[in-house]
Amino acid sequence: MNLIDGKATAARILEQLTDEISTLPYTPGLCVILIGNNPASQTYVNAKIKACNKIGIYSELIILPETVSETYLLNKIKELNQDKNIHGILVQLPLPKHISANKVIETIDYQKDVDGFHPINLGRLAKGLPALTPCTPKGIQELLKSYNIVTEGKHCVIIGRSNIVGMPMSIMMMQNIPFANATVTVCHSKTQNIDTYTRQADIIIAAIGSPKKITGDMLKEGCVVIDVGINRVERGNKYYLVGDVDFESAALKASYITPVPGGVGPMTIAMLMKNTVEASKSIQRHY
Ligand code: NAP
C-alpha cells in the first residue's frame, strides 16, 4: 500500500506558486467573505488567508454578521467585481438560511469565481473549455497526476453528487484528457447495494460526509482510494478528524490511499491559491 501524501504535494505546489507570483508584474488578490461564526467555516477561512500570506497573494477578509441582508452581501460582491486589486472572490459556504447561495454564486464575476461554482465555469468545465474549476476535485486530479496513477479506461466510482465535490469530480474524470478518461459511476444516498459498485472500482472517490462508511470488505484488491470526507468524531473526551473511509481496513486492500487529515484537505487550499493566480493572469490579459 502506498500513502498519497497530500500535505507534501500541496507544499510543493505552493512553492511553485510562490516562485511564479514573484515573477508577476502585479500582486494577485483574493477576497474571502465570511458570514456568521460557524467554527468550521472560521477554521477554513483562516487557513485560506494564511496560505495567501505565505505565498505572496494579497488577501482581504470581510466578516459579516449572521443577520446581514442578502442585498448588502450582493452589493458587496458587485463592488469587489469592480475592484482591480481583487482577482478572486470567495464566499464561504454554508450561508445563513435567508441568503440564497445560488444568487450569491451567480453575482460573483465568473472570472473571479475561484471556487469554480459559477454556472458559466461549471458549463465550461462540462464542455471541456478552459474554466476555473472547483478546488477539491481539481486537487484530487492533481494528486492522481503527482502519483502518476493510471486512470484511462479504469472504472472510477464516486460516492456523493454534491455541487462542490461529487458532481464536478464526475465531469472531470470522464473527460478525454490525461489523468481522467475513466468510466465513471456516481453513487448517492438513494443508490441500492452500494457495495456492488464499490467492489468494481479501480478508483474510488468517497465524498459522503459519513465517518468510515466505506470499509475494506467493500473494495477490490489493488484499488486506489481517495477519501474526501472530513468528519469530526468524539472519542473519550477528545475530538478527531476521520474520513468517509475506514482507513485501517481499506489500506489492506488499496494500492494507493489518501489519509485524513493530510490527504485531500491540503490540496483543496493549494488549488484555491492556484485558481487565484490563474484568475489574476486571465483578468490582467483583459485589462
Ligand atoms: P454533501 O453536500 O453533504 O453531499 C454528500 C453526498 O453524499 C450527497 O450526494 C449524498 O447523497 C451522498 N450520501 C450521503 N449519505 C450517503 C450514503 N449513505 N450512501 C451513499 N451516498 C451518500 O457533502 P460534500 O460537501 O460533498 O462533502 C462530503 C464530505 O467531504 C464531507 O465530509 C465534507 O466535510 C468533505 N469535504 C472535504 C473537502 C476537503 O477539502 N477535503 C472539501 C469539501 C468537502 P444525496 O445527494 O442523495 O443526498
Side-chain angles (χ1 to χ4, degrees), residues 119-142:
I120 292 181
N121 282 318
L122 280 176
R124 290 180 68 88
L125 168 67
K127 289 199 75 177
L129 297 169
L132 289 167
T133 52
C135 301
T136 302
K138 184 174 173 140
I140 291 170
Q141 211 166 31
E142 280 287 332

PDB file of all heavy atoms in Angstrom, residues 119-142:
ATOM      1  N   PRO A 119     -22.256  29.004 -12.652  1.00  0.00           N
ATOM      2  CA  PRO A 119     -22.763  28.177 -13.754  1.00  0.00           C
ATOM      3  C   PRO A 119     -21.934  28.305 -15.041  1.00  0.00           C
ATOM      4  O   PRO A 119     -21.818  27.330 -15.777  1.00  0.00           O
ATOM      5  CB  PRO A 119     -24.182  28.708 -13.985  1.00  0.00           C
ATOM      6  CG  PRO A 119     -24.556  29.414 -12.742  1.00  0.00           C
ATOM      7  CD  PRO A 119     -23.301  29.859 -12.063  1.00  0.00           C
ATOM      8  N   ILE A 120     -21.348  29.484 -15.280  1.00  0.00           N
ATOM      9  CA  ILE A 120     -20.523  29.617 -16.501  1.00  0.00           C
ATOM     10  C   ILE A 120     -19.292  28.718 -16.386  1.00  0.00           C
ATOM     11  O   ILE A 120     -18.929  28.002 -17.324  1.00  0.00           O
ATOM     12  CB  ILE A 120     -20.116  31.090 -16.753  1.00  0.00           C
ATOM     13  CG1 ILE A 120     -21.363  31.897 -17.109  1.00  0.00           C
ATOM     14  CG2 ILE A 120     -19.055  31.201 -17.860  1.00  0.00           C
ATOM     15  CD1 ILE A 120     -21.117  33.364 -17.408  1.00  0.00           C
ATOM     16  N   ASN A 121     -18.662  28.721 -15.206  1.00  0.00           N
ATOM     17  CA  ASN A 121     -17.474  27.872 -15.045  1.00  0.00           C
ATOM     18  C   ASN A 121     -17.843  26.387 -15.089  1.00  0.00           C
ATOM     19  O   ASN A 121     -17.123  25.586 -15.689  1.00  0.00           O
ATOM     20  CB  ASN A 121     -16.733  28.227 -13.751  1.00  0.00           C
ATOM     21  CG  ASN A 121     -15.904  29.484 -13.925  1.00  0.00           C
ATOM     22  OD1 ASN A 121     -15.245  29.658 -14.956  1.00  0.00           O
ATOM     23  ND2 ASN A 121     -15.957  30.380 -12.951  1.00  0.00           N
ATOM     24  N   LEU A 122     -18.957  26.028 -14.446  1.00  0.00           N
ATOM     25  CA  LEU A 122     -19.367  24.607 -14.478  1.00  0.00           C
ATOM     26  C   LEU A 122     -19.747  24.186 -15.894  1.00  0.00           C
ATOM     27  O   LEU A 122     -19.408  23.080 -16.329  1.00  0.00           O
ATOM     28  CB  LEU A 122     -20.539  24.359 -13.519  1.00  0.00           C
ATOM     29  CG  LEU A 122     -20.150  24.209 -12.047  1.00  0.00           C
ATOM     30  CD1 LEU A 122     -21.391  24.077 -11.187  1.00  0.00           C
ATOM     31  CD2 LEU A 122     -19.242  22.999 -11.826  1.00  0.00           C
ATOM     32  N   GLY A 123     -20.423  25.089 -16.624  1.00  0.00           N
ATOM     33  CA  GLY A 123     -20.807  24.799 -18.011  1.00  0.00           C
ATOM     34  C   GLY A 123     -19.575  24.642 -18.890  1.00  0.00           C
ATOM     35  O   GLY A 123     -19.489  23.726 -19.705  1.00  0.00           O
ATOM     36  N   ARG A 124     -18.611  25.538 -18.692  1.00  0.00           N
ATOM     37  CA  ARG A 124     -17.371  25.456 -19.483  1.00  0.00           C
ATOM     38  C   ARG A 124     -16.612  24.175 -19.146  1.00  0.00           C
ATOM     39  O   ARG A 124     -16.074  23.511 -20.032  1.00  0.00           O
ATOM     40  CB  ARG A 124     -16.497  26.700 -19.244  1.00  0.00           C
ATOM     41  CG  ARG A 124     -17.110  27.970 -19.854  1.00  0.00           C
ATOM     42  CD  ARG A 124     -16.227  29.178 -19.609  1.00  0.00           C
ATOM     43  NE  ARG A 124     -14.975  29.092 -20.352  1.00  0.00           N
ATOM     44  CZ  ARG A 124     -14.811  29.525 -21.611  1.00  0.00           C
ATOM     45  NH1 ARG A 124     -15.819  30.084 -22.254  1.00  0.00           N
ATOM     46  NH2 ARG A 124     -13.648  29.406 -22.217  1.00  0.00           N
ATOM     47  N   LEU A 125     -16.611  23.824 -17.856  1.00  0.00           N
ATOM     48  CA  LEU A 125     -15.958  22.567 -17.455  1.00  0.00           C
ATOM     49  C   LEU A 125     -16.618  21.389 -18.173  1.00  0.00           C
ATOM     50  O   LEU A 125     -15.941  20.530 -18.736  1.00  0.00           O
ATOM     51  CB  LEU A 125     -16.067  22.386 -15.918  1.00  0.00           C
ATOM     52  CG  LEU A 125     -15.683  20.999 -15.377  1.00  0.00           C
ATOM     53  CD1 LEU A 125     -14.193  20.729 -15.565  1.00  0.00           C
ATOM     54  CD2 LEU A 125     -16.050  20.868 -13.896  1.00  0.00           C
ATOM     55  N   ALA A 126     -17.956  21.377 -18.165  1.00  0.00           N
ATOM     56  CA  ALA A 126     -18.685  20.265 -18.782  1.00  0.00           C
ATOM     57  C   ALA A 126     -18.387  20.163 -20.275  1.00  0.00           C
ATOM     58  O   ALA A 126     -18.368  19.074 -20.834  1.00  0.00           O
ATOM     59  CB  ALA A 126     -20.190  20.426 -18.550  1.00  0.00           C
ATOM     60  N   LYS A 127     -18.131  21.334 -20.919  1.00  0.00           N
ATOM     61  CA  LYS A 127     -17.852  21.326 -22.357  1.00  0.00           C
ATOM     62  C   LYS A 127     -16.363  21.131 -22.657  1.00  0.00           C
ATOM     63  O   LYS A 127     -15.961  21.155 -23.818  1.00  0.00           O
ATOM     64  CB  LYS A 127     -18.324  22.647 -22.994  1.00  0.00           C
ATOM     65  CG  LYS A 127     -19.834  22.758 -23.053  1.00  0.00           C
ATOM     66  CD  LYS A 127     -20.284  23.785 -24.068  1.00  0.00           C
ATOM     67  CE  LYS A 127     -20.120  23.260 -25.483  1.00  0.00           C
ATOM     68  NZ  LYS A 127     -20.611  24.201 -26.503  1.00  0.00           N
ATOM     69  N   GLY A 128     -15.557  21.017 -21.605  1.00  0.00           N
ATOM     70  CA  GLY A 128     -14.118  20.828 -21.814  1.00  0.00           C
ATOM     71  C   GLY A 128     -13.413  22.112 -22.232  1.00  0.00           C
ATOM     72  O   GLY A 128     -12.348  22.078 -22.835  1.00  0.00           O
ATOM     73  N   LEU A 129     -14.016  23.283 -21.899  1.00  0.00           N
ATOM     74  CA  LEU A 129     -13.388  24.564 -22.217  1.00  0.00           C
ATOM     75  C   LEU A 129     -12.592  25.062 -21.012  1.00  0.00           C
ATOM     76  O   LEU A 129     -12.890  24.666 -19.873  1.00  0.00           O
ATOM     77  CB  LEU A 129     -14.484  25.594 -22.558  1.00  0.00           C
ATOM     78  CG  LEU A 129     -15.332  25.276 -23.783  1.00  0.00           C
ATOM     79  CD1 LEU A 129     -16.541  26.208 -23.864  1.00  0.00           C
ATOM     80  CD2 LEU A 129     -14.478  25.380 -25.040  1.00  0.00           C
ATOM     81  N   PRO A 130     -11.608  25.958 -21.222  1.00  0.00           N
ATOM     82  CA  PRO A 130     -10.853  26.490 -20.086  1.00  0.00           C
ATOM     83  C   PRO A 130     -11.809  27.140 -19.074  1.00  0.00           C
ATOM     84  O   PRO A 130     -12.711  27.878 -19.466  1.00  0.00           O
ATOM     85  CB  PRO A 130      -9.933  27.541 -20.701  1.00  0.00           C
ATOM     86  CG  PRO A 130      -9.857  27.185 -22.149  1.00  0.00           C
ATOM     87  CD  PRO A 130     -11.145  26.515 -22.504  1.00  0.00           C
ATOM     88  N   ALA A 131     -11.624  26.843 -17.796  1.00  0.00           N
ATOM     89  CA  ALA A 131     -12.541  27.354 -16.756  1.00  0.00           C
ATOM     90  C   ALA A 131     -11.834  27.330 -15.413  1.00  0.00           C
ATOM     91  O   ALA A 131     -10.843  26.613 -15.237  1.00  0.00           O
ATOM     92  CB  ALA A 131     -13.781  26.458 -16.694  1.00  0.00           C
ATOM     93  N   LEU A 132     -12.371  28.115 -14.479  1.00  0.00           N
ATOM     94  CA  LEU A 132     -11.936  27.967 -13.081  1.00  0.00           C
ATOM     95  C   LEU A 132     -12.738  26.782 -12.541  1.00  0.00           C
ATOM     96  O   LEU A 132     -13.962  26.793 -12.587  1.00  0.00           O
ATOM     97  CB  LEU A 132     -12.258  29.247 -12.298  1.00  0.00           C
ATOM     98  CG  LEU A 132     -11.396  30.459 -12.660  1.00  0.00           C
ATOM     99  CD1 LEU A 132     -11.995  31.736 -12.074  1.00  0.00           C
ATOM    100  CD2 LEU A 132      -9.954  30.263 -12.181  1.00  0.00           C
ATOM    101  N   THR A 133     -12.055  25.760 -12.046  1.00  0.00           N
ATOM    102  CA  THR A 133     -12.769  24.534 -11.659  1.00  0.00           C
ATOM    103  C   THR A 133     -12.739  24.347 -10.136  1.00  0.00           C
ATOM    104  O   THR A 133     -11.818  24.818  -9.464  1.00  0.00           O
ATOM    105  CB  THR A 133     -12.164  23.305 -12.370  1.00  0.00           C
ATOM    106  OG1 THR A 133     -10.768  23.285 -12.149  1.00  0.00           O
ATOM    107  CG2 THR A 133     -12.433  23.349 -13.854  1.00  0.00           C
ATOM    108  N   PRO A 134     -13.751  23.681  -9.575  1.00  0.00           N
ATOM    109  CA  PRO A 134     -13.840  23.543  -8.126  1.00  0.00           C
ATOM    110  C   PRO A 134     -12.567  22.929  -7.511  1.00  0.00           C
ATOM    111  O   PRO A 134     -11.988  21.980  -8.048  1.00  0.00           O
ATOM    112  CB  PRO A 134     -15.059  22.641  -7.938  1.00  0.00           C
ATOM    113  CG  PRO A 134     -15.902  22.903  -9.143  1.00  0.00           C
ATOM    114  CD  PRO A 134     -14.922  23.105 -10.259  1.00  0.00           C
ATOM    115  N   CYS A 135     -12.156  23.509  -6.388  1.00  0.00           N
ATOM    116  CA  CYS A 135     -10.818  23.243  -5.831  1.00  0.00           C
ATOM    117  C   CYS A 135     -10.623  21.797  -5.362  1.00  0.00           C
ATOM    118  O   CYS A 135      -9.538  21.237  -5.552  1.00  0.00           O
ATOM    119  CB  CYS A 135     -10.571  24.205  -4.661  1.00  0.00           C
ATOM    120  SG  CYS A 135     -10.664  25.919  -5.169  1.00  0.00           S
ATOM    121  N   THR A 136     -11.637  21.187  -4.747  1.00  0.00           N
ATOM    122  CA  THR A 136     -11.420  19.836  -4.206  1.00  0.00           C
ATOM    123  C   THR A 136     -11.241  18.807  -5.333  1.00  0.00           C
ATOM    124  O   THR A 136     -10.246  18.073  -5.338  1.00  0.00           O
ATOM    125  CB  THR A 136     -12.553  19.457  -3.229  1.00  0.00           C
ATOM    126  OG1 THR A 136     -12.576  20.443  -2.195  1.00  0.00           O
ATOM    127  CG2 THR A 136     -12.333  18.096  -2.610  1.00  0.00           C
ATOM    128  N   PRO A 137     -12.159  18.748  -6.319  1.00  0.00           N
ATOM    129  CA  PRO A 137     -11.921  17.811  -7.415  1.00  0.00           C
ATOM    130  C   PRO A 137     -10.634  18.110  -8.186  1.00  0.00           C
ATOM    131  O   PRO A 137      -9.912  17.202  -8.571  1.00  0.00           O
ATOM    132  CB  PRO A 137     -13.137  17.992  -8.327  1.00  0.00           C
ATOM    133  CG  PRO A 137     -14.135  18.762  -7.571  1.00  0.00           C
ATOM    134  CD  PRO A 137     -13.461  19.430  -6.439  1.00  0.00           C
ATOM    135  N   LYS A 138     -10.337  19.399  -8.344  1.00  0.00           N
ATOM    136  CA  LYS A 138      -9.103  19.785  -9.042  1.00  0.00           C
ATOM    137  C   LYS A 138      -7.880  19.260  -8.270  1.00  0.00           C
ATOM    138  O   LYS A 138      -6.932  18.744  -8.855  1.00  0.00           O
ATOM    139  CB  LYS A 138      -9.041  21.323  -9.167  1.00  0.00           C
ATOM    140  CG  LYS A 138      -7.871  21.874  -9.949  1.00  0.00           C
ATOM    141  CD  LYS A 138      -8.030  23.377 -10.102  1.00  0.00           C
ATOM    142  CE  LYS A 138      -6.803  24.007 -10.727  1.00  0.00           C
ATOM    143  NZ  LYS A 138      -7.140  25.050 -11.691  1.00  0.00           N
ATOM    144  N   GLY A 139      -7.951  19.365  -6.949  1.00  0.00           N
ATOM    145  CA  GLY A 139      -6.853  18.878  -6.092  1.00  0.00           C
ATOM    146  C   GLY A 139      -6.708  17.363  -6.188  1.00  0.00           C
ATOM    147  O   GLY A 139      -5.593  16.831  -6.168  1.00  0.00           O
ATOM    148  N   ILE A 140      -7.829  16.668  -6.306  1.00  0.00           N
ATOM    149  CA  ILE A 140      -7.786  15.198  -6.415  1.00  0.00           C
ATOM    150  C   ILE A 140      -7.129  14.808  -7.735  1.00  0.00           C
ATOM    151  O   ILE A 140      -6.270  13.924  -7.784  1.00  0.00           O
ATOM    152  CB  ILE A 140      -9.210  14.610  -6.287  1.00  0.00           C
ATOM    153  CG1 ILE A 140      -9.699  14.811  -4.854  1.00  0.00           C
ATOM    154  CG2 ILE A 140      -9.239  13.129  -6.681  1.00  0.00           C
ATOM    155  CD1 ILE A 140     -11.164  14.508  -4.626  1.00  0.00           C
ATOM    156  N   GLN A 141      -7.478  15.523  -8.802  1.00  0.00           N
ATOM    157  CA  GLN A 141      -6.865  15.212 -10.097  1.00  0.00           C
ATOM    158  C   GLN A 141      -5.357  15.488 -10.060  1.00  0.00           C
ATOM    159  O   GLN A 141      -4.571  14.727 -10.614  1.00  0.00           O
ATOM    160  CB  GLN A 141      -7.544  16.029 -11.198  1.00  0.00           C
ATOM    161  CG  GLN A 141      -7.539  15.302 -12.523  1.00  0.00           C
ATOM    162  CD  GLN A 141      -8.481  15.939 -13.527  1.00  0.00           C
ATOM    163  OE1 GLN A 141      -8.710  17.141 -13.502  1.00  0.00           O
ATOM    164  NE2 GLN A 141      -9.028  15.134 -14.417  1.00  0.00           N
ATOM    165  N   GLU A 142      -4.976  16.542  -9.337  1.00  0.00           N
ATOM    166  CA  GLU A 142      -3.540  16.841  -9.185  1.00  0.00           C
ATOM    167  C   GLU A 142      -2.825  15.725  -8.416  1.00  0.00           C
ATOM    168  O   GLU A 142      -1.686  15.397  -8.712  1.00  0.00           O
ATOM    169  CB  GLU A 142      -3.343  18.166  -8.429  1.00  0.00           C
ATOM    170  CG  GLU A 142      -3.522  19.405  -9.281  1.00  0.00           C
ATOM    171  CD  GLU A 142      -2.366  19.646 -10.254  1.00  0.00           C
ATOM    172  OE1 GLU A 142      -1.206  19.230  -9.981  1.00  0.00           O
ATOM    173  OE2 GLU A 142      -2.635  20.236 -11.306  1.00  0.00           O
TER     174      GLU A 142
END
